[in-house]
């Protein structure tokens, strides 16, 4: 540590105390000065801090600085000697310390540098501190261009300074910044310890639009408590855009200007760019017309330069609307509350929001509305303390905002505008079983008025009653009334609201308070009935519980007594849940008395006679209810002196049955019986008793339903008898419980149908094949269905119905028996017809036998007379393959030649004129179809032989064969068939040639051969063999040459009739045919 | 004393403290972004429009994180973070008061500004606690009341200036909490070095 730094020396700023000490220490002073000078020299050499000085802006904090030795960076530790916690550290050459009390203070500055350090000491006194106030803050500078007036508003920042001080403000107006001062004034104010806004206005001789005006302000604070140097603080206006933060009406026009030395590139309001209006220099302006309403935070106006941005905010809104619905009233006659609706929103909030003042003109007092940001259109309210002995108030509500003001007035007599608070602390206390006392608390001083209160009384059964009560107002807020005419043992709910007796508004209803009134004796005896037991020995007494309004409390027990002229029997203390007692009595007349008891006492007795007067003329009637009850009527009987009683029970219950009873005055002739126990579809028995001379007589017995329903089961039915045309059906009754109504009839459906087919089809579809029988006689239990068909299945369905609807179905399938007579007739009639036809045919045949014989069976010539047909038996028998007919030399007695053309199907064997001589052999071979060879057999045998073909022997014999095929085959044969012809036609051809009809079918088909063969002898041709002359042909299907045997074997003459219809080969079948029977040659 | 960022081997309670502070900084970074968006929404156009960038005016008693901030020793960085966060809290209060006049019917914005001031104080205190736990010297002096008063007077000078100041303060709030998050990151065990 430097020794010299430890020495205390005087500061250059202030004298040392020691210098002012005794003169006898002068020598010592000289020594110290010398040492000080040496220290200074050493400090200069070693780089210690110097020029320590302090200044302040707010008198609270001193900002002390010193000159640091050049090139000596380090950390300074500044300590104030003899003060705790007064060391400060700094890396720079200044430090802020709190204000020190007047007097000298030793300051030590220690500079730490690497491994070394140096220390300096200074004396500090408040007198050496320079006080320069904070820069004055210009809040707004506005110009009133029409009047060329500048308005300056600034904040004195009085809260910063600890003492009340005088302030001198110096304001200057310049045309060119910092050069041309055109106005300089001073303005004196006082600092009050809090921020105060000051105003100053200046009217320019020159119109403000013509030039740029600058305003500068500085202040001098003469703080008497501060002994240091006081200096001026100047501040020029920094605002660049005008006007600043102005509030203007919506729809107005406004001009903004930007005063700048830089070139303005862009001006915009909100997000809209505006054209620039160039003013002096770089100054520009923009003009906004018809400005629209601003948002809460205002409308931003921004001027943009190359590297900066200047702006202002404009607030476009509305002047305050006239306060609407202004109303003043009081809750407690202590305070007036005035409410109003602000009307149209001003769109101005915060400091620009509308302020309200409520002024009372008689008293001259007013209250101001404290700004609260409430949502628009919500009611505002102000409280005004009432003045003693003043009832009439004349209120004026003024609304003010930067754009204007409005007001609304109201004159009220406050005693007529009482809107009490909600009554609280409701209490109930009973007076007796029918009256209570209600007390409540109503805050307020209503001693000068009467209160109209309303008591709402709600009984247990939710019956609501309102009672108005007028009470005198009191100061202590406690009120009391009596409420009477209540029912005993009834739970009431009370609540209260109040108003003034002149009535303005009801208060809100108080909370509800429930209270149960005390008990009273039952007002009536219980409703009583009696029944004799089934054995007739005991009398059962029934009574009903008393309704709450008659019980007047909780019924604890009942007393029952039966008294006659001779005796009295009693049953006491029957507990409440029991409403029935049984007493053994003889048949004497008794008067039964029943009494109900609660904690307050016993009810009057309820009496009933035990005697029952017989009635011989009693009929059972039916009645239908109305869904919820049943109406019973009877004729008025003047003999019934006391009352009527209707009792009822479920008909399915055993006797004595009693569900309930009802007593009806004796002057009534009808009643509606209703009960929660009634159920639809259940049969009930009702008994009407008339009370006569203290005895009851059963007048009517009625069965009925509250509501009829459809049966729930179908009648159980069976088939008793079945015949061929009828069915007898029998069914059973439906039980009453399942009938559920009065039976009105049955519906019987029947139709033909099998079980599997008809059971799925509905019967209600109105089908015509369903027959329906409606049986309305409910006593009928059988039904015979007639006119049915025999041996037929029928579907039977039976269902019952009531007035409540149709019951379910029950179905059955029945098959009728067979009708034997009809069957017999059906057999006999065809047989008889057949016999008759046979007889007639036989007679006709017999009478026409000659014709028939001639037609169908002419006499056949004896072939033995023909020598030409003499076969050598051995040959015929021995060689079946030999088909050549050897002609014996016989002289023909007649020769007929029939010429058949292939294209002319018709043959006229009677007109054969062509002799065989005209047909040479070769010609036959060439045109075989044109040759018709007719067999010759004396005396005359004309045989039509189909397709004679080429016969080798034909050329040499005199026999001519008739081509039968050509007769009946009008179509020319196919060529392929013609090609076969020469083969088939080889050799001998007898009178017939079987294959000729197979014009279409395959010639090789054996069956076809059978079918197409014309002539069929009486025997099966397939069995024929050429074993005898009687075997006329050989039908070897495999043989290419089909030949017949000797024509001598033919002992009948018959055409072989080819099929007329080629498509019906059956009709062309060989053998016997009915058609053949009637066909013959016309010339025969 | 703190020797090197990567050589720190904090005790478990210190680990928890650092992790907690870092989480708070990360959370406040997100909140600061939301606050800035909400603030801009309530200032009207052209605030919030693309391209609107008012000059970054100096704020009394507070500056933006310097470009060379990341190159400073960690204790120095944390000291600067704590000091800035402490300075931000009263500035956010100033902004909130001004916004209460401008946007009294924006309770959400006002609440977020109030929260931001409180959270800035909390984060600043937490960073200082971390510094103390690490054995580093505490931060410098608290921001002067005069600086805050200067900011308050700047905010009161004009509505437009107040809006710009608020925008600047909200932006600085975001920058400093983000800076604090980045500075605390290397201290978090398992975090970036």
């Amino acid at each position: 540590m430097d020794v010299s730094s430890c020495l205390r020396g005087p500061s250059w700023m202030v004298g040392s105390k020691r210098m002012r000490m005794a003169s006898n220490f002068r020598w010592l002073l000289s020594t110290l000065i010398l040492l000080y000078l040496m220290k200074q020299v050493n400090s200069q050499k070693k780089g210690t801090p110097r020029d320590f000085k302090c200044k302040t802006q707010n008198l609270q904090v001193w900002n002390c600085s010193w000159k640091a030795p050049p090139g000596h960076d380090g950390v300074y530790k500044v300590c104030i000697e003899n003060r705790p916690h007064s060391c400060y550290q700094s890396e720079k050459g200044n430090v802020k310390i709190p204000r020190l009390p007047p007097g000298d203070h030793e300051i030590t500055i220690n500079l730490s540098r690497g491994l070394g350090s140096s220390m300096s000491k200074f004396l500090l006194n408040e007198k050496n501190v320079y006080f320069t106030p904070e820069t004055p803050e210009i809040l707004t500078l506005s110009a009133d261009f029409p009047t060329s007036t500048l308005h300056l508003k600034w904040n004195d920042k009085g809260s910063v300074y600890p003492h009340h001080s005088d302030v001198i403000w110096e304001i200057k107006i310049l045309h060119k910044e910092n050069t041309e001062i055109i106005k300089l004034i001073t303005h004196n104010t006082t600092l009050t310890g809090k921020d105060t806004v000051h105003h100053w206005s200046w009217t320019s001789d020159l119109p403000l639009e013509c030039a740029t005006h600058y305003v500068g302000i500085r202040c001098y604070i003469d703080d008497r408590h501060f002994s240091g140097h006081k200096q001026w603080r100047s501040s020029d206006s920094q605002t660049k855009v005008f006007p600043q933060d102005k509030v203007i009406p919506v729809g107005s026009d406004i001009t903004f200007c930007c005063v700048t030395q830089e070139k303005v590139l862009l001006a915009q309001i909100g997000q809209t760019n505006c054209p620039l209006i160039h003013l002096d220099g770089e100054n520009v302006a923009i003009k906004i017309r018809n400005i629209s309403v601003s948002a809460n935070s205002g409308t931003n106006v921004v001027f943009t330069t190359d590297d900066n941005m200047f702006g202002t905010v404009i607030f476009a809104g509305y002047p305050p609307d006239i306060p609407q619905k202004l109303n003043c009233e009081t809750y407690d006659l202590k305070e007036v509350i005035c409410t109003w609706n602000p009307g149209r929103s001003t769109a101005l909030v915060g400091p620009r929001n509308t302020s309200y003042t409520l002024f009372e003109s008689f008293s001259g007092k007013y209250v101001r509305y404290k700004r609260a940001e409430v949502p628009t259109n919500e009611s505002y309210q102000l409280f005004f303390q009432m003045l003693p002995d003043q009832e009439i108030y004349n209120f004026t509500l003024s609304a003010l905002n930067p754009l204007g003001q409005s007001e609304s007035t109201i004159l009220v007599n406050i005693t007529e505008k009482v809107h009490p608070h909600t009554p609280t602390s409701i209490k109930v206390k009973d007076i007796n079983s029918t009256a209570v006392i209600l007390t409540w608390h109503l805050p307020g001083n209503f001693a000068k008025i009467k209160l109209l209160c309303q008591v709402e009384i709600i009984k247990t059964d939710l019956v609501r009653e309102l009672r108005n009560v007028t009470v005198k107002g009191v100061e202590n807020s406690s009120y009391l009334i009596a409420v009477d005419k209540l029912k005993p043992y009834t739970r009431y709910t009370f609540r209260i609201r109040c108003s003034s007796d002149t009535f303005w508004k009801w208060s809100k209803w108080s909370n509800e308070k429930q209270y149960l009134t005390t008990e009273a004796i039952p007002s009536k005896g219980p409703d009583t009935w009696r029944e004799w037991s089934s054995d007739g020995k005991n009398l059962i007494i029934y009574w009903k519980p008393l309704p709450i309004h008659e019980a007047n409390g909780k019924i604890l027990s009942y007393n029952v007594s039966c008294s006659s002229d001779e005796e009295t029997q009693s049953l006491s203390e029957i507990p409440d849940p029991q409403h029935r007692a049984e007493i053994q009595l003889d048949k004497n007349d008794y008067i039964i008395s029943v009494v109900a008891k609660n904690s307050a006492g016993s009810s009057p007795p309820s009496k009933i006679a035990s005697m029952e007067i017989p009635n011989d003329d009693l009929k059972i009637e039916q009645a239908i209810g109305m869904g919820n009850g049943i109406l019973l009527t009877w004729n008025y009987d003047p003999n019934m002196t006391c009352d009527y009683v209707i009792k009822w029970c479920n008909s399915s219950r055993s006797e004595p049955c009693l569900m309930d009873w009802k007593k009806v005055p004796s002057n009534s002739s009808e009643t509606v019986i209703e009960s929660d126990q009634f159920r639809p579809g259940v049969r009930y028995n009702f008994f009407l008793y008339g009370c006569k001379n203290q005895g009851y007589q059963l007048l009517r017995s009625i069965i009925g339903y509250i509501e009829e329903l459809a049966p729930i089961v179908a009648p159980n039915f069976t088939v008793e008898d079945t015949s061929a045309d009828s069915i007898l059906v029998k069914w059973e009754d439906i039980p009453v419980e399942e009938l559920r109504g009065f039976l009105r009839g049955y519906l019987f459906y029947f139709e033909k149908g099998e079980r599997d087919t008809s059971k799925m089809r509905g019967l209600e579809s109105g089908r015509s094949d369903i027959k329906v029988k409606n049986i309305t006689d409910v006593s009928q239990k059988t039904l015979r269905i007639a006119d049915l068909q025999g041996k037929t299945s029928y579907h039977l369905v039976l269902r019952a119905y009531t007035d409540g609807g149709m019951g379910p179905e029950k179905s059955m399938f029945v098959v009728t028996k067979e009708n034997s007579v009809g069957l017999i007739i059906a057999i006999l009639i065809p047989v008889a017809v057949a016999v008759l036809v046979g007889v007639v045919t036989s007679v006709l045949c017999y009478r026409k036998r000659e014709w028939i014989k001639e037609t169908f069976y002419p006499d056949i010539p004896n072939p033995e007379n023909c020598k030409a047909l003499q076969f050598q038996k051995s040959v015929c028998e021995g060689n079946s393959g030999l088909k050549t007919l050897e002609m014996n030399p016989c002289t023909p007695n007649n020769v007929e030649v029939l010429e058949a053309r292939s294209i002319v199907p018709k043959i006229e064997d009677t007109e054969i004129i062509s002799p065989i001589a005209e047909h040479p052999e070769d010609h036959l071979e060439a045109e075989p179809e044109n040759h018709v060879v007719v067999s010759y057999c004396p005396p005359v045998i004309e045989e039509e032989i189909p397709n004679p073909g080429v016969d080798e022997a034909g050329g040499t014999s005199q026999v001519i064969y008739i081509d039968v095929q050509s007769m009946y085959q009008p179509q020319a044969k196919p060529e392929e068939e013609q090609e076969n012809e020469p083969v088939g036609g080889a050799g001998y051809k007898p009178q017939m040639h079987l294959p000729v009809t197979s014009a279409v079918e395959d010639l090789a088909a054996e069956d076809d051969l059978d079918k197409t063969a014309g002539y069929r002898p009486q025997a099966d041709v397939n069995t024929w063999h050429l074993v005898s002359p009687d075997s006329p042909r050989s039908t070897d299907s495999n043989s290419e040459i089909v030949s017949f045997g000797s024509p001598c074997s033919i002992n009948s003459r018959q055409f072989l009739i080819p099929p007329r219809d080629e498509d019906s080969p059956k009709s062309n079948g060989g053998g016997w045919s009915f058609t053949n029977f009637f066909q013959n040659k016309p010339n025969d | 004393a703190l020797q090197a960022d990567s050589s720190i081997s904090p005790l478990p309670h210190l680990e928890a403290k650092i992790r907690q502070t870092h989480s708070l900084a990360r959370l406040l970074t997100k909140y600061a972004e939301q606050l800035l968006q909400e603030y801009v929404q309530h200032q009207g156009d052209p605030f919030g429009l693309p391209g609107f960038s008012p000059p970054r005016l100096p704020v009394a008693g507070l500056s933006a994180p310097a470009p060379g901030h990341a190159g400073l020793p960690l204790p120095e960085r944390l000291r600067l973070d704590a000091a800035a966060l402490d300075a931000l809290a009263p500035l956010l209060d100033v902004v909130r008061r001004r916004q209460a006049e401008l946007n009294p019917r924006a309770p959400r914005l006002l609440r977020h500004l109030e929260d931001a001031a409180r959270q800035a104080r909390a984060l600043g205190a937490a960073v200082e606690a971390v510094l103390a736990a690490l054995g580093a010297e505490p931060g410098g002096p608290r921001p002067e009341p005069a600086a805050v008063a200067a900011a308050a007077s700047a905010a009161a000078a004009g509505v437009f200036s107040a809006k710009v100041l608020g925008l600047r303060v909200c932006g600085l709030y975001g920058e400093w909490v983000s800076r604090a998050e980045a500075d605390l990151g290397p201290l978090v065990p398992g975090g970036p070095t």
Side-chain angles (χ1 to χ4, degrees), chain A residues 664-686:
Chain A
V664 182
S666 59
N667 57 357
S668 302
S669 60
E670 65 175 28
T671 188
V672 174
I673 307 296
E674 293 177 326
S675 171
D676 294 336
Q677 297 176 332
F678 285 150
R679 297 285 179 268
V682 176
R683 180 178 289 187
Y684 297 99
N685 291 336
F686 298 89

Side-chain angles (χ1 to χ4, degrees), chain A residues 275-300:
Chain A
L276 295 174
I277 303 168
H278 291 278
L279 305 174
D280 294 338
E282 297 295 341
N283 297 352
V284 293
I286 58 171
K287 191 169 183 67
I288 308 298
R289 298 183 187 279
N290 192 18
I291 193 166
S292 55
V293 67
S294 299
N296 284 346
S297 63
T299 303
N300 300 309

Side-chain angles (χ1 to χ4, degrees), chain A residues 368-388:
Chain A
R368 284 206 174 95
Y369 181 79
K370 290 180 181 175
R371 178 159 58 90
E373 298 301 336
V374 293
T376 311
N377 293 332
E378 189 169 310
S379 285
Y380 288 54
Q381 62 182 19
L382 264 177
F383 292 90
F384 187 90
Q385 289 298 320
M386 282 182 60
L387 303 169

Side-chain angles (χ1 to χ4, degrees), chain A residues 113-257:
Chain A
R113 293 175 297 185
L115 298 175
S117 65
S118 63
M119 187 175 71
S120 300
K121 291 191 176 181
F122 303 96
L123 281 180
L124 178 60
N125 193 304
E126 187 190 56
K127 293 177 180 177
N128 302 117
V129 177
Y130 289 85
F131 171 40
T132 307
E134 290 212 5
T135 306
E137 177 191 3
I138 293 180
L139 299 180
T140 61
L141 173 66
S142 57
D144 185 7
F145 287 95
T147 59
S148 296
T149 303
L150 285 176
H151 300 283
L152 181 67
K153 189 186 291 184
W154 70 96
N155 189 344
D156 65 5
K157 298 182 181 177
S159 60
V160 173
Y161 306 103
H163 310 117
H164 288 211
S165 309
D166 295 330
V167 187
I168 304 169
W169 304 92
E170 191 176 82
I171 304 169
K172 59 181 179 181
I173 310 292
L174 301 93
H175 265 174
K176 289 184 179 178
E177 196 171 8
N178 298 329
T179 54
E180 293 182 18
I181 297 177
I182 59 171
K183 185 71 176 178
L184 180 64
I185 61 106
T186 56
H187 184 76
N188 296 323
T189 64
T190 303
L191 295 179
T192 59
K194 58 182 180 181
D195 289 358
T196 305
V197 175
H198 301 280
H199 303 263
W200 179 76
S201 297
W202 173 76
T203 302
S204 172
D205 296 333
L206 195 67
L208 294 178
E209 292 89 343
C210 297
T212 304
H213 291 73
Y214 296 84
V215 177
I217 185 170
R218 65 175 183 169
C219 66
Y220 177 86
I221 298 179
D222 184 17
D223 190 335
R224 288 182 292 273
H225 300 277
F226 180 72
S227 56
H229 304 277
K230 299 163 188 171
Q231 296 180 329
W232 282 90
R233 164 63 74 180
S234 301
S235 173
D236 288 332
S237 171
Q238 298 299 317
T239 304
K240 294 285 187 177
V241 178
F242 303 96
Q244 280 284 309
D245 309 338
K246 192 172 185 181
V247 182
I248 59 170
V250 172
S252 58
D253 302 338
I254 185 169
T255 300
F256 299 93
C257 64

Side-chain angles (χ1 to χ4, degrees), chain B residues 150-190:
Chain B
S153 65
V159 175
F160 186 79
S161 301
K163 288 181 177 182
V164 172
L165 175 70
L167 183 67
R168 179 74 179 130
V169 169
C170 290
L172 285 173
Y173 173 61
E175 290 178 31
W176 278 110
V177 292
S178 174
R179 190 64 260 165
E181 180 193 355
D183 291 339
L184 287 166
L187 294 177
V188 178

Side-chain angles (χ1 to χ4, degrees), chain B residues 18 22 75 192:
Chain B
I18 291 170
H22 182 255

